[in-house]
Amino acid sequence: MIRIFKRLTGNHLLMFSLIFIVSTVFYSYKIGFSDLWSDETYTKSMLSGSPGDFYAMFRNDLHPPLYYIGLRIFTGLAGQSATALRSFSVVGVLATLLLGYFAGQRIFGKRGGLLFCLLLASVPMLAVYSHQARMYTWAAFSVTGAFIYSILFLRSGTTRDLVLLVIFTLAAVYLHYYSMMAAILANLFVFLHLLLTGNRKWRSHLFSLLIVALLMLPWLSMFLVQFRRVQHAFWAPEVSLSTIAECFAIPFTEQFWVTGFSKVFTVLMYALVVVTIILSFRKSFSTDQACHLVITVLFSWAHCPLQPLFHYSHSRYSIHGTLWLLYLCSLFLLRSADPDEGRMVEAVLIPKILFLGIRTSLPAFRFSYGRINKRLNISPRHILK
C-alpha cells in the first residue's frame, strides 16, 4: 500500500487531475444560490443588441471589451441564466489553474507546479469572484500568464515565450485596466532588465511592445471616453492607509466580513512572504530567483500606489496583483536543498493553508444578495460601495 501511495503521489499529472476535478466541483458549488447583484445585472444587459449597440454601450461602461465579448459567445451556447453567466467566471479560475500548473512547472518544476496550483485554489478571493458574472477571474488569468511568460522569456529568450507574453499582455489590456497596468509594469521590468544586462533580446522585446501598442490603438478613443467618466466615480473611496490595508487583507478574508479563520490565514500568508523576502538575501536563493522576486513585488503592490492615477480605488482590484504573493510562498516551500526537509515543510503548511482558505471561502457561496436586499430594502450597490 505504501508503494502504491508513493507511486500515485509521484504521478504529478494524476495529482493535478485530481486537484482540477475537486476544484471544478468546489467552484461550482451553489453557483446559482444568490440573486444577480447590480453589477452582474449590468453585465447581462451588455449581452443584448446588435454589434453596433454592443460597442456603443461601452460609453456608459468603465471596462475594456474582451470579457463581454467572451461572455457573449459563451452565453450564446449556455444561455443567460445566473448559473450560465457565472460559469464563465468559473472557467476563468480553472484556466488559471491549468496555466499555473503547465506553464508554472517550467519555473518551479512538476512538484512546484502542483504546490502553486494548491496555493491558487486556497485563495478566497478567487472563490468569491468565481461566483460573480464579472471579469475578475479572467483578469487574474491574463496577469498570471503575463507574469509567468515574463519570467520564462527572461530565462529562455525564445520567440515562443515572447509571443505568449504578447498574447497575455494584450489579454490583460483588453480585460481590465488594472490588469493592463500590471502587464505593462511586467513588460517594463523585462525590457529594462534585458537592456541593463546587455541582452540583445531587448530589441525583440521592444518590437513586441510596439505590436501591443498598435493593437491597443483601436480602443484608444473609447479608453479616453471611459477615463474621463471614471474621474467622477462616486463610489470610489479615497486612497488612504485603511483602503490600502484593505487591498492587502481582502484576498485572504471573507467578502464582507472577517473571522478568526481569515485573520489567521492572512497573517500566515504574509508571514511566508516576509520570510521568503528575508531568505532571498541568502546564498540559497539564486540571482535568477532574486530577479523573480523583484518582478513579483511589482505585481503584488502595483495596484495600490497607482490607484490615484484613476481616482478609482476598490479592494477588489487587488486580485490583479495579489496572486503573486503566492509566488513568494511557493519559493518558500521549495527553497530547501534537502528534499526531505522541503517535503516536511509542505506537509505541515499546505494542509493548514488549504483548510484556512476553503474554510474562509465557503461562506461566500452561501451568501445571497437577494435576501439582504429584500430584508433591508436597499440595492446591492449600497451594500458593496
Side-chain angles (χ1 to χ4, degrees):
M1 285 295 294
I2 294 176
R3 288 183 178 179
I4 294 174
F5 179 75
K6 287 184 176 179
R7 187 176 299 173
L8 289 174
T9 54
N11 189 327
H12 297 99
L13 184 58
L14 176 61
M15 290 297 294
F16 172 73
S17 299
L18 292 174
I19 292 170
F20 188 80
I21 292 169
V22 172
S23 297
T24 302
V25 174
F26 174 66
Y27 290 121
S28 301
Y29 175 65
K30 287 185 174 293
I31 192 170
F33 178 73
S34 173
D35 295 341
L36 295 176
W37 65 286
S38 58
D39 281 14
E40 290 181 298
T41 302
Y42 183 83
T43 295
K44 188 174 181 179
S45 73
M46 292 287 291
L47 306 179
S48 60
S50 67
D53 295 334
F54 179 65
Y55 180 79
M57 289 180 184
F58 286 100
R59 292 186 175 277
N60 296 316
D61 192 54
L62 302 173
H63 303 92
L66 186 56
Y67 167 77
Y68 295 113
I69 293 171
L71 184 62
R72 187 164 178 152
I73 295 170
F74 183 84
T75 54
L77 300 172
Q80 293 189 14
S81 66
T83 298
L85 289 167
R86 292 167 180 161
S87 293
F88 189 57
S89 296
V90 172
V91 175
V93 181
L94 296 177
T96 305
L97 292 180
L98 286 168
L99 180 66
Y101 176 69
F102 287 104
Q105 65 181 281
R106 291 180 58 195
I107 299 172
F108 300 116
K110 291 183 178 180
R111 182 171 65 94
L114 285 175
L115 287 175
F116 187 53
C117 285
L118 287 172
L119 290 171
L120 283 171
S122 73
V123 178
M125 196 173 208
L126 278 177
V128 167
Y129 288 110
S130 71
H131 277 213
Q132 294 193 20
R134 300 298 287 163
M135 66 287 297
Y136 304 116
T137 62
W138 282 104
F141 169 74
S142 68
V143 173
T144 301
F147 178 88
I148 287 177
Y149 284 101
S150 292
I151 294 173
L152 291 176
F153 178 65
L154 285 174
R155 279 188 174 186
S156 69
T158 63
T159 301
R160 173 180 175 271
D161 288 333
L162 180 59
V163 169
L164 287 167
L165 174 57
V166 169
I167 290 171
F168 280 104
T169 299
L170 279 170
V173 166
Y174 278 103
L175 277 164
H176 198 279
Y177 292 128
Y178 277 94
S179 61
M180 176 183 74
M181 287 192 290
I184 288 174
L185 281 174
N187 279 277
L188 178 62
F189 175 82
V190 170
F191 177 73
L192 290 176
H193 185 274
L194 292 172
L195 189 63
L196 295 175
T197 56
N199 190 323
R200 293 183 178 180
K201 290 292 180 180
W202 70 265
R203 296 184 179 89
S204 301
H205 185 256
L206 179 60
F207 181 71
S208 74
L209 293 179
L210 292 174
I211 292 175
V212 171
L214 286 173
L215 293 175
M216 289 172 60
L217 288 178
W219 188 251
L220 181 60
S221 61
M222 186 61 73
F223 168 76
L224 294 175
V225 170
Q226 294 181 346
F227 182 83
R228 286 192 291 269
R229 289 194 70 249
V230 81
Q231 301 301 305
H232 308 289
F234 65 89
W235 68 88
E238 293 293 330
V239 176
S240 64
L241 288 177
S242 62
T243 57
I244 290 176
E246 186 182 359
C247 284
F248 286 101
I250 199 169
F252 307 112
T253 64
E254 291 82 3
Q255 190 174 12
F256 299 124
W257 58 89
V258 178
T259 65
F261 289 104
S262 55
K263 288 178 181 178
V264 172
F265 189 37
T266 303
V267 170
L268 174 60
M269 298 306 286
Y270 280 104
L272 294 180
V273 169
V274 171
V275 170
T276 308
I277 292 173
I278 294 172
L279 289 173
S280 69
F281 293 100
R282 298 185 177 183
K283 292 182 180 180
S284 59
F285 272 65
S286 67
T287 304
D288 194 29
Q289 287 171 322
C291 170
H292 300 169
L293 177 64
V294 173
I295 197 170
T296 300
V297 171
L298 282 174
F299 263 92
S300 300
W301 278 275
H303 56 280
C304 287
L306 286 175
Q307 281 172 344
L309 177 66
F310 286 93
H311 298 182
Y312 190 52
S313 169
H314 202 283
S315 54
R316 77 181 74 167
Y317 306 129
S318 62
I319 195 171
H320 303 133
T322 309
L323 292 181
W324 297 108
L325 294 171
L326 306 182
Y327 179 80
L328 295 178
C329 296
S330 299
L331 282 182
F332 173 82
L333 292 169
L334 296 166
R335 79 191 191 286
S336 176
D338 183 349
D340 292 332
E341 181 183 337
R343 284 182 171 82
M344 187 178 298
V345 172
E346 293 169 24
V348 171
L349 288 179
I350 287 295
K352 290 181 173 60
I353 289 171
L354 285 174
F355 169 76
L356 291 169
I358 293 171
R359 177 63 180 79
T360 302
S361 300
L362 284 174
F365 297 162
R366 298 190 291 266
F367 178 83
S368 174
Y369 293 96
R371 292 180 181 180
I372 294 291
N373 300 342
K374 292 172 185 176
R375 186 170 73 244
L376 300 180
N377 193 30
I378 57 178
S379 70
R381 184 172 294 278
H382 287 114
I383 298 173
L384 295 176
K385 312 304 184 187

